[in-house]
Amino acid sequence: MLETNIDRWKAQAIAEGVLLGEQRGEQRGEQAAKRSLLLRTVSRRFKQIPDAIRQRIEQAPVEQIDDWFDRAVDAPSLEEVFGTDDVRH
């Protein structure tokens, strides 16, 4: 009986680990997709993206990416999107 419980717990732990791994993978995929969309939007609107801005986008959490994307839709300049001097080449 103990062996049966251990086997069941082991199977449950594996299933939970797989599910957790899938969720993390989905989060990473969502984050990568949002970064890509932000980079594309900014490059189409403002032509070139300075390396400093590109690095900030690559390191930013998804909430920050969402905020920048919302600003990028209407902002007249990179400075208004990112609020920094990093926009100069």
Side-chain angles (χ1 to χ4, degrees):
M1 179 153 169
L2 181 59
E3 246 179 81
T4 304
N5 284 339
I6 291 173
D7 289 341
R8 190 180 69 222
W9 295 331
K10 182 179 175 184
Q12 184 179 2
I14 290 170
E16 288 173 1
V18 168
L19 180 60
L20 183 59
E22 288 174 1
Q23 290 171 341
R24 286 184 181 152
E26 288 173 9
Q27 289 171 343
R28 285 187 200 125
E30 178 186 9
Q31 205 168 21
K34 287 184 174 192
R35 281 188 175 113
S36 178
L37 186 58
L38 176 59
L39 286 166
R40 182 175 179 180
T41 301
V42 170
S43 68
R44 293 208 29 128
R45 294 232 33 240
F46 305 109
K47 304 303 175 215
Q48 290 189 350
I49 304 171
D51 289 337
I53 295 297
R54 196 175 292 275
Q55 288 174 352
R56 286 181 65 199
I57 292 170
E58 291 300 325
Q59 296 171 357
V62 72
E63 296 82 15
Q64 181 65 63
I65 293 168
D66 288 341
D67 184 49
W68 285 334
F69 182 82
D70 290 344
R71 287 193 236 162
V73 172
D74 298 317
S77 67
L78 279 173
E79 289 88 354
E80 291 202 25
V81 176
F82 298 99
T84 181
D85 291 331
D86 290 342
V87 297
R88 291 179 182 78
H89 300 284

